[in-house]
Amino acid sequence: MENDTLTRLRTYLLRNYDYDELCFVQEVEKLTSKGFRLTAVPYGRANDKELCKLLQEFFKTDKPCEQLFKRPIGSWQGGEGTAIIKSTSDFQRLLRKFGRLNIGLYLDKLAVLDIDDVTVLEDIKIPRTFTVRTGGGGLHLYFKVETEEDKQIIQKFKGVWWSAEGRKHSEVRLKWEEHVIIPPSMHPSGARYEVEVAAPPINASEALPFFEALRAKLEVSERREVEAEATPTTAATPAATPTATSTTAATAPTTAPATDEERIRKAREILESLGFRYEDIPPCVRSALEYPSVHNTSPPHTPNTLVLFFFRTLGVSAEDFIRLWLTVKVDATEKETRRQVTHWDKVAQKRGKGYLAHNCDTLESQHLCPGCEFKGKVKNPLTAYTLAYLRRRSVRATPLEEEWEVVPESVRLIFPFKRARPQQIACIEDLRKALSCGGKAILRAETGYGKSAIITTVAKLLPGVLIIEPQKGLQDQIQRYGVFVLKGRSAYKCAVTGDTADKAPCLKKSYNCEAKDVCEYKRAWKEAIERLQSDEPAPVCANHGLYYHLRRYAKHIIFDEFDVVCKQLCEEIWLRSQKKVPEPQERALFEEIKFLEEELRKLRDAIDSVEYGTKEFTKLAGEIISTESRLSRLRLFTEGLCAVFERTRRGEKRVYAKMLEESCAEILLDYGCAGASATPPPVRDAVFVGPEYRVSTQENAPIVYLPIVKLTTRESTLVQNANIRIAAEALLTLMQHIRESEGNEEKFIVHCGNTKQHMLILKEVLEQHFKVLVHERGRMEQTIREFKEGDYDVLLVAAADVGYDFFEYHYQFIFKIPYTDRNDPEWKAIEQRYGKEWADRKYYAELVDRVVQICGRICRGREDYGVTFILDAKFEELYSKYRRLLPKSFRERLILPQFVQKRIAQQQQQQGQQEQRQPQQSEERQRGQVTLIDYGGGVDERCGGEEREDG
């Protein structure tokens, strides 16, 4: 239906309107080359009734047609979205779609004073700045917003200054962080926007006298209109003496008090400019905000703090709150308001914002609760606002129809399925070419796309391919696809004893096995080596523990779940030979290798003297296998970058070594090797292979950010764990709301920060209405199996970001962003050795990958559907600073509240200005930085991959 409307709209515009495409393209090219972002806006005349009907149908609204001609054709808030134009190719793509388009300018670097009635400029000295004559006869005066002073002036004067009663579209308004129509666009009246004054725009600070003079004139004009309305319409009688008239004029106040309607209207405008919908704000907060006085409240102070805590907890800045407060309170002063905001911010730092939030029961007992539709269901106004937003946004996940391709003859016999997902065959061919040419390749595809099927098919097309799988479940899957799997000793039986091979008597050096030819373990190893050395395609699959032993035989190596393999190989190792961290640190690794080689020799000598089948033999056999594994990993550690650090365990200080995952990825992904992952680590010179096809979209797997409170380690441990409790109560209310609207059969997955504090409080709160199962440490698989087989309602898990699927369920919650402790000795050692800036980038790159992996647990295909809710308000900081690290598929699924979008856009703008002010790093400092893994390069590679996906 929507595509049909768009087709009819495009056809109508092409048939009925002439269009100078070259002129528009030249203007777009000129502006975008200077870094400006433009918006795509409908083209046409407002008196064209047929066009108006088509636009109303396209926008799905019954608003007046004139408003639609200034409305972008898609999302645009914050300078991002489907209606934003960043290049001529963006404009031409949209033009092919719509036929005719006007263009607007997104105002982030500039502000525009929009004057509909130019008569208000009489007797006012107009500064010489860039000016546009609108098609309606008004003016657009442009001003630069560069410095902090410019920004403060624009924030102060932003909004409507004056609006003429009874005259349509006659107002004076300062626009910023909005969009404005620019030449050569056509006005709804049919006239063109034209440049009136071609001078460069001046700074807002230079225009301050002009702003003050014009606004003062408009206030006087508005006050006279109010006084004229208040004057009786009857004619003056002769008894009205001049003396009385002069006395009245002398005693009249210099400024008329704002009416209630005017105060509330301006408050609405401020909140809407910050991204809040006024109707979503709970009635208790609205009534406290609309009350005109600061001092005459009942009970004292509570209504004021209710409004302050509500908006500050939702992230409204101190300056924006002060602006709102001074607008709505007739007796408020800036000095006192600022003092109160500063005071309560300090209290919140000590006690936590959750501790300060007002409880609904308390508000009702103080007669401050006028009642709302969520009365009795929520514990505080924050939760009521969240539910109001969620109900209006109506976030739902709906299954999509899966798309399929025909498997070609060339791979039909080796591809594990009868049908292929779109672009799977193309990925197979690209990956095969990269490996056969001796290059490095990374297959980047989201969870559920079918990476295992792709790498299995490639392995069957090339000789000597070793597939490294980090988990048993994935090894079994590869085995079902027809690949030989070499497993560990414990998976095979001894032909002599009938016990598992990890306890076999052949672990003795002196033992001469007579059953070598029939030994399952020996035969499996022999077959694996022969397959890898063969000139014919005969792939072998093994776990990461066998990688070090098998890599010498393989011609090509493919790492499935590449990021997981790197993490498992890089896990910290206790260096028992070291009492403290030596200098240089690499010496500790070589000394530990010598120590383990000697330890292994002693263990083999000891097991020779022990009788088979005893407990002592089983213990020594286990120690031999464990020592061999540690020795293999330590040898790998010596090939890359490591951190050596001290950690206290069981009351004693121990020395540990850990390899950096990025360095490990560089070593593993040698030429002729490939990795596959949804969140691969950055590797230099690697070719990225990946599909444009999305398994998870905003329709079947949306990610909804609903900020409640921040749950950092510090804020979580403040008074009575208030932040955790308020978030847990909000989660309980949200679950009840979902059960009421979707049915009582829904089950929920909750990803907690840890198995202690967060999980215990969550369990206590949620058990009031639900049957809860808690993940026990070290028993993840058993806990998930018990939840799926039992009659539980809620599963609380921690660290379930990789290897676990919940696609049977339709709702999962990220209660706390999985931050790791930066005070951990491991991170301290990395920061000390490689620098804070590099450690920060590594830390947040790993954090982003964990969040992305968690969001991929709920959908394995387009037929699966489910919603992921992120409740930790700390996500906003992560997203605003490290947005580019997030995959494009994640960003497309993400739904942010409008007030968060606007706040992030402001933060990014400020961050960009700060980066411009910072001096360039000196050459000496650059030489001192780690250059093996450059996270800046890693980010660019990800973005580069997205550009290739976009064509």
Side-chain angles (χ1 to χ4, degrees):
M1 180 66 183
E2 188 173 343
N3 289 334
D4 179 58
T5 303
L6 184 57
T7 303
R8 289 188 287 117
L9 176 61
R10 179 177 179 275
T11 304
Y12 185 87
L13 286 168
L14 289 172
R15 287 178 179 175
N16 294 279
Y17 287 90
D18 294 331
Y19 191 73
D20 189 352
E21 182 176 343
L22 179 61
C23 183
F24 278 84
V25 169
Q26 289 174 345
E27 187 69 18
V28 169
E29 184 177 9
K30 182 179 74 173
L31 292 173
T32 55
S33 64
K34 295 179 181 179
F36 290 102
R37 288 175 285 184
L38 308 180
T39 55
V41 186
Y43 187 91
R45 290 183 291 272
N47 60 2
D48 189 337
K49 295 183 179 179
E50 184 63 29
L51 179 58
C52 289
K53 289 180 181 178
L54 288 170
L55 286 176
Q56 288 174 335
E57 189 176 341
F58 173 78
F59 284 115
K60 299 178 181 177
T61 183
D62 55 356
K63 288 184 178 180
C65 192
E66 291 183 1
Q67 297 182 19
L68 304 183
F69 283 100
K70 296 185 179 182
R71 176 176 175 176
I73 48 91
S75 57
W76 63 277
Q77 285 83 359
E80 297 289 342
T82 56
I84 291 296
I85 300 169
K86 297 182 180 179
S87 64
T88 52
S89 59
D90 288 347
F91 176 69
Q92 288 171 333
R93 174 176 53 82
L94 291 170
L95 196 60
R96 286 194 298 271
K97 189 175 180 181
F98 288 86
R100 303 282 186 260
L101 283 174
N102 279 331
I103 55 174
L105 176 67
Y106 179 73
L107 299 172
D108 53 353
K109 303 174 184 178
L110 297 169
V112 167
L113 184 61
D114 184 358
I115 303 172
D116 291 330
D117 185 358
V118 294
T119 59
V120 300
L121 295 174
E122 293 175 0
D123 303 324
I124 297 289
K125 184 179 180 181
I126 305 172
R128 182 170 174 76
T129 186
F130 187 86
T131 306
V132 170
R133 174 74 64 175
T134 70
L139 291 177
H140 285 171
L141 277 64
Y142 285 73
F143 305 95
K144 287 191 289 188
V145 185
E146 292 180 333
T147 66
E148 197 63 33
E149 183 183 3
D150 291 339
K151 196 178 295 184
Q152 290 175 358
I153 291 170
I154 295 300
Q155 288 281 11
K156 178 181 178 181
F157 289 91
K158 180 182 174 183
V160 177
W161 293 5
W162 172 77
S163 180
E165 293 292 332
R167 281 191 285 173
K168 197 173 185 181
H169 304 306
S170 186
E171 63 179 20
V172 176
R173 179 177 179 180
L174 184 63
K175 295 182 176 181
W176 186 53
E177 295 182 332
E178 302 174 44
H179 84 114
V180 64
I181 312 299
I182 60 174
S185 299
M186 184 172 73
H187 191 267
S189 64
R192 296 281 174 181
Y193 287 78
E194 297 177 350
V195 177
E196 180 88 358
V197 179
I202 64 173
N203 285 72
S205 55
E206 298 177 46
L208 180 59
F210 167 67
F211 288 168
E212 291 175 338
L214 179 57
R215 193 164 183 175
K217 178 183 177 180
L218 294 174
E219 286 176 352
V220 171
S221 174
E222 189 172 14
R223 188 162 61 247
R224 286 174 179 171
E225 290 178 5
V226 172
E227 291 172 355
E229 290 176 0
T231 304
T233 57
T234 55
T237 61
T241 62
T243 307
T245 305
S246 60
T247 306
T248 306
T251 58
T254 57
T255 57
T259 62
D260 288 344
E261 292 79 7
E262 185 181 358
R263 288 188 304 101
I264 296 170
R265 177 179 62 80
K266 289 182 178 180
R268 273 176 173 268
E269 290 175 356
I270 292 173
L271 290 172
E272 287 172 3
S273 71
L274 296 174
F276 291 91
R277 190 170 182 268
Y278 198 72
E279 288 73 17
D280 289 347
I281 297 172
C284 55
V285 179
R286 285 207 306 264
S287 59
L289 177 66
E290 292 170 0
Y291 188 74
S293 175
V294 175
H295 306 291
N296 301 323
T297 59
S298 178
H301 309 303
T302 304
N304 299 339
T305 54
L306 168 63
V307 178
L308 173 62
F309 299 160
F310 178 82
F311 287 110
R312 292 290 282 145
T313 304
L314 286 176
V316 174
S317 68
E319 293 300 324
D320 285 332
F321 178 80
I322 291 170
R323 181 162 61 96
L324 171 67
W325 197 250
L326 295 177
T327 300
V328 81
K329 301 295 181 181
V330 295
D331 54 354
T333 63
E334 182 176 352
K335 182 178 179 181
E336 178 61 22
T337 306
R338 194 176 296 279
R339 190 184 70 79
Q340 288 292 332
V341 171
T342 304
H343 165 72
W344 286 111
D345 281 352
K346 290 179 180 178
V347 175
Q349 288 178 357
K350 294 179 181 179
R351 300 185 180 181
K353 289 182 179 177
Y355 182 78
L356 301 178
H358 288 275
N359 188 283
C360 288
D361 293 337
T362 305
L363 293 174
E364 189 169 9
S365 65
Q366 296 180 355
H367 307 289
L368 293 175
C369 177
C372 67
E373 58 183 310
F374 303 114
K375 187 174 182 179
K377 299 179 181 179
V378 299
K379 295 289 185 71
N380 56 72
L382 288 170
T383 310
Y385 177 78
T386 301
L387 283 183
Y389 164 77
L390 189 63
R391 182 201 57 197
R392 177 173 57 82
R393 187 66 176 77
S394 65
V395 178
R396 289 178 180 272
T398 55
L400 301 176
E401 185 176 349
E402 195 73 74
E403 298 178 19
W404 301 104
E405 286 182 353
V406 177
V407 180
E409 291 286 347
S410 57
V411 295
R412 183 170 295 175
L413 295 178
I414 57 177
F415 191 73
F417 302 106
K418 295 180 180 179
R419 301 179 297 177
R421 282 204 171 98
Q423 300 162 14
Q424 268 188 324
I425 305 302
C427 290
I428 290 171
E429 184 60 22
D430 291 344
L431 198 58
R432 184 195 66 79
K433 285 180 180 178
L435 292 180
S436 60
C437 294
K440 303 177 182 180
I442 291 180
L443 172 61
R444 181 172 59 201
E446 56 187 326
T447 303
Y449 178 70
K451 296 186 291 291
S452 298
I454 293 173
I455 64 174
T456 303
T457 306
V458 172
K460 292 178 180 180
L461 291 170
L462 298 172
V465 177
L466 171 64
I467 301 174
I468 299 297
E469 284 287 0
Q471 296 167 349
K472 289 182 179 179
L474 293 173
Q475 291 173 28
D476 295 339
Q477 182 182 2
I478 293 291
Q479 193 169 26
R480 289 194 299 271
Y481 292 168
V483 175
F484 176 80
V485 177
L486 178 63
K487 300 182 179 180
R489 277 180 171 269
S490 60
Y492 301 97
K493 286 188 177 181
C494 176
V496 177
T497 64
D499 204 347
T500 54
D502 60 333
K503 304 170 187 174
C506 61
L507 289 170
K508 293 185 176 186
K509 290 190 298 183
S510 59
Y511 183 78
N512 185 18
C513 182
E514 298 177 355
K516 288 182 180 179
D517 296 336
V518 294
C519 176
E520 291 182 3
Y521 180 64
K522 298 287 185 184
R523 287 169 63 183
W525 262 92
K526 183 180 179 182
E527 183 178 352
I529 294 172
E530 289 175 352
R531 281 172 163 268
L532 293 175
Q533 293 179 333
S534 172
D535 293 331
E536 297 295 325
V540 174
C541 177
N543 63 25
H544 66 282
L546 301 175
Y547 159 76
Y548 196 82
H549 304 287
L550 289 172
R551 67 177 182 175
R552 71 190 77 171
Y553 305 109
K555 298 180 181 67
H556 306 284
I557 305 177
I558 301 177
F559 301 91
D560 195 11
E561 300 296 343
F562 186 36
D563 55 327
V564 180
V565 172
C566 292
K567 288 176 183 176
Q568 291 178 341
L569 287 173
C570 294
E571 287 179 353
E572 61 185 39
I573 297 178
W574 176 21
L575 307 182
R576 291 185 293 173
S577 64
Q578 305 297 310
K579 299 301 180 185
K580 63 179 183 178
V581 178
E583 286 293 340
Q585 294 184 5
E586 289 78 6
R587 194 179 78 190
L589 301 178
F590 293 103
E591 290 179 356
E592 183 67 14
I593 288 174
K594 290 181 180 178
F595 174 80
L596 288 179
E597 288 174 343
E598 181 63 23
E599 188 76 13
L600 189 60
R601 186 186 63 78
K602 291 179 181 178
L603 287 171
R604 293 196 182 280
D605 291 342
I607 203 170
D608 271 350
S609 60
V610 177
E611 185 179 349
Y612 170 76
T614 62
K615 289 184 178 179
E616 184 67 18
F617 182 90
T618 304
K619 179 182 176 183
L620 289 172
E623 289 180 2
I624 288 173
I625 294 173
S626 173
T627 304
E628 287 177 340
S629 174
R630 292 170 62 207
L631 193 55
S632 299
R633 287 178 53 214
L634 268 177
R635 285 171 179 154
L636 185 66
F637 279 22
T638 61
E639 299 177 22
L641 297 178
C642 294
V644 181
F645 52 92
E646 292 182 355
R647 188 193 296 280
T648 302
R649 287 269 172 87
R650 297 181 180 179
E652 65 171 328
K653 276 192 174 182
R654 298 177 179 178
V655 178
Y656 289 86
K658 175 181 171 60
M659 189 177 190
L660 303 187
E661 288 87 349
E662 298 74 23
S663 178
C664 180
E666 288 281 345
I667 294 168
L668 296 183
L669 214 64
D670 201 354
Y671 292 97
C673 300
S677 173
T679 54
V683 178
R684 289 182 299 177
D685 302 329
V687 177
F688 280 88
V689 176
E692 296 179 11
Y693 181 78
R694 302 286 184 236
V695 172
S696 300
T697 67
Q698 198 177 93
E699 286 74 30
N700 72 320
I703 302 168
V704 183
Y705 175 48
L706 292 179
I708 307 297
V709 288
K710 288 184 179 180
L711 292 174
T712 61
T713 303
R714 179 188 172 278
E715 288 169 329
S716 298
T717 55
L718 295 173
V719 181
Q720 300 173 1
N721 298 313
N723 282 18
I724 301 179
R725 290 191 176 277
I726 195 171
E729 290 169 354
L731 176 58
L732 173 63
T733 307
L734 192 56
M735 288 178 173
Q736 290 175 313
H737 173 72
I738 292 171
R739 277 279 181 97
E740 290 175 5
S741 58
E742 301 293 333
N744 292 326
E745 301 301 321
E746 292 293 344
K747 292 189 174 185
F748 307 105
I749 311 297
V750 182
H751 299 270
C752 309
N754 54 52
T755 57
K756 297 179 181 177
Q757 185 185 30
H758 299 94
M759 199 169 281
L760 292 175
I761 296 175
L762 267 172
K763 184 174 184 291
E764 176 189 337
V765 173
L766 297 180
E767 277 187 334
Q768 300 173 21
H769 295 277
F770 297 105
K771 188 175 181 181
V772 181
L773 179 63
V774 176
H775 157 219
E776 296 179 21
R777 200 167 189 174
R779 296 186 70 253
M780 178 72 81
E781 292 183 5
Q782 298 91 323
T783 305
I784 292 175
R785 192 182 309 114
E786 183 182 350
F787 176 75
K788 291 182 177 181
E789 295 173 356
D791 60 343
Y792 297 96
D793 301 311
V794 181
L795 172 64
L796 304 181
V797 292
D801 51 328
V802 176
Y804 304 101
D805 295 324
F806 303 108
F807 54 87
E808 307 99 316
Y809 311 112
H810 303 140
Y811 292 94
Q812 67 171 353
F813 302 87
I814 300 179
F815 184 74
K816 182 185 183 300
I817 298 297
Y819 282 89
T820 52
D821 187 5
R822 281 300 296 269
N823 293 319
D824 187 90
E826 173 193 329
W827 282 107
K828 291 287 187 183
I830 292 173
E831 184 175 318
Q832 182 178 1
R833 187 167 189 190
Y834 302 111
K836 185 177 185 306
E837 183 178 352
W838 192 87
D840 285 346
R841 292 176 180 174
K842 171 180 168 57
Y843 178 83
Y844 285 104
E846 291 183 5
L847 177 61
V848 163
D849 287 348
R850 292 189 69 185
V851 173
V852 172
Q853 289 284 3
I854 290 175
C855 292
R857 298 303 97 204
I858 204 167
C859 281
R860 302 288 297 181
R862 284 198 164 192
E863 287 136 356
D864 299 330
Y865 63 98
V867 185
T868 300
F869 291 96
I870 301 177
L871 305 182
D872 189 353
K874 193 72 174 171
F875 175 77
E876 182 178 334
E877 176 185 325
L878 177 68
Y879 182 78
S880 61
K881 287 184 178 179
Y882 300 97
R883 179 177 178 271
R884 293 182 65 197
L885 287 174
L886 290 162
K888 183 180 178 182
S889 57
F890 182 95
R891 299 199 302 267
E892 289 173 349
R893 293 166 56 194
L894 186 62
I895 299 174
L896 297 173
Q898 191 177 12
F899 69 89
V900 175
Q901 292 179 25
K902 294 205 172 187
R903 202 154 57 219
I904 289 175
Q906 291 175 353
Q907 292 169 358
Q908 289 177 342
Q909 185 179 2
Q910 292 170 0
Q911 187 178 358
Q913 291 175 351
Q914 290 175 0
E915 289 174 356
Q916 290 176 0
R917 294 184 192 129
Q918 288 176 354
Q920 296 291 327
Q921 290 180 328
S922 64
E923 292 182 2
E924 292 79 6
R925 183 181 174 187
Q926 289 180 1
R927 290 194 199 102
Q929 289 181 337
V930 178
T931 56
L932 175 62
I933 309 294
D934 183 3
Y935 267 99
V939 173
D940 291 339
E941 285 176 356
R942 291 190 178 193
C943 293
E946 291 168 8
E947 288 173 6
R948 285 191 289 274
E949 289 176 2
D950 291 338

